[in-house]
Amino acid sequence: MSGQNSATDSIRQGNDSLLTRLPFDDSQDFADAERGFVAALTPGIVKNDAGEVVWDSDGYAFLDEDCPPTVNPSLWRQSKLCALQGLYEVTDGIYQIRGLDLSNMTLVEGETGVIVIDPLISAETAAAGLALYREHRGERPVTGVIYSHSHIDHFGGVKGVTTQETVDAGNCPIIAPVGFTEHAVEENVYAGTAMARRAAYMYGAALPRGPLGAVGAGLGPTTSTGTPTLISPTVYIDHTGQTVTVDGVQVEFQMTPGTEAPSEMNFYFPARRALCMAENATHTLHNLLTLRGALVRDPHVWAKYLTEAINRYAARADVVFASHHWPTWGTERLTEFLSVQRDLYGYLHDQTLRALNKGATGIEIAEDIQLPPAIENAWSTHGYYGSVSHNVKAIYQRYMGWFDGNPSTLWQHPPTEGARRHLEYMGGAEEVLAKARKSYAEGDFRWVAQVLNYVIFADPGNAEAKALQADTLEQLGFGAENGTWRNFFLMGAYELRHGSVGTPTATAAPDIMAELSVEQVFDAIALRIDGPKAWSASIVLDWRITDTSTVHRTQLRNGLLVHFDVDGELPEPDATFALTAADLRAALLGGQDLRQMIADGRVKVTGDAGKLAELVGYLDVPDPDFAIVTP
C-alpha cells in the first residue's frame, strides 16, 4: 500500500449510493450559474510581473468529465459549478467576475464609472478580472470600492483595481464596515503562522489537481497566489439602514457583525432591486469554525441577521447575489433560498443547545444530529465548505469550551505520551498494525486513522504505519463531500508519503502590516516572548511616536511584555526610542536593521540602547512548517 490508490469498494459504494439518494436531476444551479455569461478569460491563466502563474482556471478542465470513483459525486457537482469562470451579468448594470479566485468580484456601473465590490485575494487576479470587464463593457474608471467584510479574499486585490493615489485624491472612496481594519489586520498577524500552515491543508496547496487530488474547496476553486494588498477604508458603515451614494448609485447597508466575519455587512441596491449577501448566504453550509483556525462564529445572530435581511429586502429584490458562487433570481426563489439558509444555521444552533443541555457532548451531538428533509434536500445547505459535523462541535465549543465535563478527560496526556501508553495497552505496534489492516479491508477508515495515529506518534519512524495511514486518509478524502475535508485528508496522506512540502513563510502582506496600530505592533511582539527564558528579565522601554506625539511603554517582567500609552508620571525607562509609527513597524516586524536606522538618524535613542537587543534576544521564531500528521 504505497503511493496513490483508487477508491476501495466501500468508498466506491458509498459514493455510488449518493447518485440515487440526492436530487442530481435538479439542474437549476447550473442554469443559474451559467445565466448572464458574457465571456471567459482565455486562456484562464493569470501571471505576476515575474511571469509566475498565480491563477490557473484551465487546470480544472478535468471536471468536464464524468465523476470518477475517487471523488464524492456531490462535491464533484459543486466543483463543476465553482469552476465556471468569466464575466457574468447579474442584472442591468451589475456584473460579476467568477472563477478567477476563491471569491467573486462584483462590478456595479455608476454614472461615470464602475464600483468594485470585494476585489479578490490578489492584485493580479483582480486586475485580470477588471480587464475582462472593460474589454466587454468599456474603459470605465473605478469610482468606488466596497469591502463586504474583513477576510483577505474580499480586499486583497484592491491595488489591482485602483491606487492609493486615486483614493487619496478623493476619486475612489473605499467603503467598509466599522471594525474592518482592526479585524483584517489581527486575523492575518496574531495567529498568522499557524493559520497559514493549516490553510495549506485546507486548500490543498501541494496537491495536484485531478480526480486523485484537489478538485476545489467548496466555496470556490482555491486561493490565488499573487500579491495581496490593502488600501484603508475612507468611509465606514456603522449602522443598519445607513445609505451612501457612490457615483450616482444609492446603496443601503445592513450590519451583520459576528456572522461569517467579525466585521461584515450586506447591502441593497434599490434602483436595481438587487441584494448582496456578502458571505452570509452562499450555496453551501459555511464554517462556524474554519479548519484553518479562527474565532468561533455565532450561528444564533447569523440566523437573526438572515431573518432581518429577508424582512427588510427580500420582497423588494429581484436577485440576490453573494461574494461566492452564483446568484438566485426571482423574489419568491430568493426568499426561499435565504429562508432555508436561515433555517440551517438556526436549526444547528438550537438543536446543539437542546442536546448539550441534556448532557450530550459536542462529538456525540455531531454524530447524531439530523437535518430536516427540506434542508437536507436543498443543494445550497450541503457541507462543501463548512460541515454539520465540525460546525456542531464549534457551537458546543462556543458555549461550553473544550472540556466535555467528564473528569477523565480533564487532564489527559498530550498526544505523544498518550500514544505511547495507548500502544502499550493495545499490545504494541505490530498488533495494532495487524488489526488496522483488517479494519482497513472492512472499510472502517475512521477507526484505522485513529489507531494508526497512536502508532505514528509513539514511533514516528514506523514506515509501515505511515504508509497505511496515508492510504487510509486518502480513502477518507475520496469519500468526503466537504472540499476542505478532502483537502485535509489528502494533504495528510501526501505529507506522510513525501514529507512536509513546506509552507510559504507566514508573514502578512506589507500593506496589511502597514495598517498595524502601535498597540497591535506590540501585541504581535508580546506573542513571541519566550516566557520561561524571560522569567528573570526586567526591561522598561519607551517608544516616542513622533508623528502622533504619543509615548508607548513596554515593560518585560515575569516573562510577560506589558505595554500601554504613557499618561502621567512614571519611573524612568531603561531607554527611549523616538521614531515614526512606520519606522516602528519596520524595525520590530519588518526586518529592518534598527542599528542602521539609528545610524541614519531615523531613530533617536536616549538611555541604554542595549536593552532593546536584550529584549529581542527573548523573542521566539514562529515555525511556518510545523508537523501536523507526525509529532
Side-chain angles (χ1 to χ4, degrees):
M1 289 187 184
S2 60
Q4 288 189 310
N5 304 285
S6 188
T8 60
D9 287 344
S10 59
I11 293 296
R12 185 187 298 263
Q13 291 165 9
N15 284 342
D16 286 347
S17 72
L18 296 177
L19 296 174
T20 56
R21 195 156 55 83
L22 297 177
F24 280 93
D25 57 345
D26 177 3
S27 60
Q28 183 63 57
D29 282 338
F30 286 93
D32 287 342
E34 294 166 355
R35 177 172 170 172
F37 175 72
V38 177
L41 182 68
T42 307
I45 294 173
V46 180
K47 298 181 180 180
N48 61 17
D49 291 340
E52 300 163 328
V53 174
V54 301
W55 182 259
D56 178 9
S57 295
D58 297 343
Y60 291 100
F62 66 89
L63 290 166
D64 292 336
E65 305 297 326
D66 291 337
C67 180
T70 54
V71 184
N72 182 294
S74 179
L75 176 60
W76 187 265
R77 175 188 182 277
Q78 180 78 353
S79 296
K80 287 173 71 75
L81 288 160
C82 289
L84 296 172
Q85 65 96 342
L87 175 67
Y88 295 80
E89 183 181 30
V90 175
T91 191
D92 184 34
I94 300 180
Y95 292 80
Q96 282 192 313
I97 297 293
R98 301 187 208 130
L100 293 189
D101 213 317
L102 182 69
S103 50
N104 300 334
M105 182 170 75
T106 304
L107 303 114
V108 181
E109 294 175 352
E111 293 177 353
T112 63
V114 63
I115 304 160
V116 173
I117 300 171
D118 289 353
L120 310 181
I121 294 175
S122 304
E124 294 87 348
T125 52
L130 181 60
L132 180 63
Y133 165 82
R134 285 173 169 167
E135 179 183 347
H136 297 276
R137 296 296 298 166
E139 289 291 327
R140 302 166 188 261
V142 174
T143 50
V145 173
I146 300 175
Y147 302 145
S148 68
H149 63 287
S150 52
H151 292 155
I152 197 169
D153 53 322
H154 301 268
F155 66 81
V158 64
K159 288 189 177 177
V161 301
T162 191
T163 65
Q164 185 69 59
E165 292 73 21
T166 301
V167 173
D168 291 343
N171 297 324
C172 181
I174 308 287
I175 302 168
V178 67
F180 167 88
T181 303
E182 173 189 351
H183 292 296
V185 167
E186 288 181 358
E187 177 158 309
N188 285 282
V189 175
Y190 286 8
T193 301
M195 285 186 181
R197 176 68 173 123
R198 282 171 47 162
Y201 267 56
M202 182 170 173
Y203 295 108
L207 298 176
R209 293 179 183 176
L212 295 175
V215 300
L219 191 65
T222 188
T223 53
S224 64
T225 57
T227 308
T229 60
L230 175 62
I231 298 177
S232 293
T234 60
V235 178
Y236 283 101
I237 306 302
D238 62 12
H239 65 276
T240 293
Q242 183 174 345
T243 61
V244 175
T245 299
V246 183
D247 193 14
V249 177
Q250 186 183 52
V251 192
E252 180 182 334
F253 296 91
Q254 179 201 8
M255 300 299 294
T256 64
T259 52
E260 190 271 337
S263 173
E264 188 153 357
M265 61 187 183
N266 302 326
F267 31 96
Y268 173 67
F269 298 90
R272 275 82 184 262
R273 290 179 59 85
L275 175 61
C276 177
M277 291 301 294
E279 205 164 323
N280 289 318
T282 57
H283 290 269
T284 181
L285 168 59
H286 213 295
N287 285 302
L288 298 178
L289 179 55
T290 174
L291 300 183
R292 66 174 167 81
L295 300 178
V296 178
R297 298 158 187 173
D298 187 346
H300 186 55
V301 302
W302 198 325
K304 284 185 176 294
Y305 284 129
L306 285 170
T307 297
E308 183 180 57
I310 293 166
N311 292 340
R312 287 183 71 98
Y313 303 117
R316 297 188 284 144
D318 295 326
V319 61
V320 63
F321 62 94
S323 295
H324 295 272
H325 299 147
W326 50 95
T328 299
W329 285 270
T331 302
E332 183 177 345
R333 284 186 61 222
L334 70 85
T335 301
E336 178 62 13
F337 167 70
L338 294 175
S339 298
V340 169
Q341 287 277 302
R342 181 269 317 280
D343 297 347
L344 172 64
Y345 295 107
Y347 186 89
L348 289 176
H349 174 271
D350 291 358
Q351 295 306 305
T352 300
L353 268 291
R354 181 179 69 87
L356 72 81
N357 278 318
K358 296 177 72 173
T361 63
I363 196 169
E364 291 169 335
I365 304 168
E367 200 70 16
D368 294 339
I369 195 168
Q370 290 184 311
L371 294 177
I375 297 178
E376 177 70 29
N377 292 331
W379 285 111
S380 65
T381 65
H382 281 240
Y384 301 115
Y385 193 56
S387 75
V388 170
S389 178
H390 73 252
N391 278 346
V392 164
K393 295 168 190 172
I395 297 168
Y396 186 92
Q397 176 182 322
R398 180 178 178 86
Y399 285 94
M400 306 300 290
W402 61 268
F403 179 43
D404 63 6
N406 185 332
S408 69
T409 66
L410 184 58
W411 193 27
Q412 291 181 320
H413 288 286
T416 298
E417 182 58 31
R420 292 195 186 103
R421 291 166 183 257
H422 272 93
L423 210 58
E424 180 183 352
Y425 268 59
M426 295 164 76
E430 286 304 315
E431 181 69 17
V432 173
L433 279 164
K435 292 179 178 177
R437 282 189 290 269
K438 183 174 182 295
S439 294
Y440 182 97
E442 295 169 350
D444 194 0
F445 301 116
R446 291 172 66 184
W447 178 242
V448 176
Q450 184 173 336
V451 297
L452 286 180
N453 195 60
Y454 299 142
V455 180
I456 292 168
F457 271 69
D459 180 12
N462 192 313
E464 187 177 355
K466 291 166 72 173
L468 181 56
Q469 182 74 312
D471 291 343
T472 301
L473 296 179
E474 187 174 63
Q475 293 301 315
L476 288 169
F478 289 165
E481 182 183 47
N482 184 286
T484 62
W485 280 39
R486 176 184 174 92
N487 289 338
F488 253 87
F489 287 134
L490 296 187
M491 278 293 296
Y494 187 97
E495 291 200 351
L496 284 166
R497 289 171 177 153
H498 305 291
S500 175
V501 296
T503 301
T505 303
T507 55
D511 284 349
I512 295 176
M513 298 294 284
E515 293 301 323
L516 285 168
S517 67
V518 171
E519 180 86 8
Q520 289 171 324
V521 168
F522 288 113
D523 275 347
I525 293 296
L527 299 174
R528 291 177 52 195
I529 294 291
D530 184 333
K533 185 178 178 182
W535 280 345
S536 301
S538 178
I539 303 172
V540 180
L541 303 176
D542 278 354
W543 303 84
R544 188 176 301 279
I545 311 304
T546 56
D547 44 354
T548 61
S549 300
T550 59
V551 178
H552 203 78
R553 172 161 290 193
T554 56
Q555 181 177 2
L556 180 64
R557 61 189 305 272
N558 293 325
L560 172 70
L561 187 69
V562 180
H563 60 96
F564 51 88
D565 285 336
V566 174
D567 183 16
E569 293 295 324
L570 291 173
E572 285 295 310
D574 296 314
T576 298
F577 297 84
L579 70 175
T580 65
D583 282 341
L584 175 75
R585 290 188 287 266
L588 297 187
L589 296 176
Q592 293 196 24
D593 189 338
L594 182 63
R595 292 170 297 182
Q596 187 61 49
M597 295 171 73
I598 294 171
D600 293 342
R602 291 169 59 185
V603 179
K604 301 189 184 312
V605 187
T606 57
D608 183 1
K611 284 292 186 178
L612 178 59
E614 183 184 349
L615 175 65
V616 170
Y618 294 120
L619 297 182
D620 204 356
V621 179
D623 179 5
D625 195 29
F626 57 78
I628 293 179
V629 287
T630 56

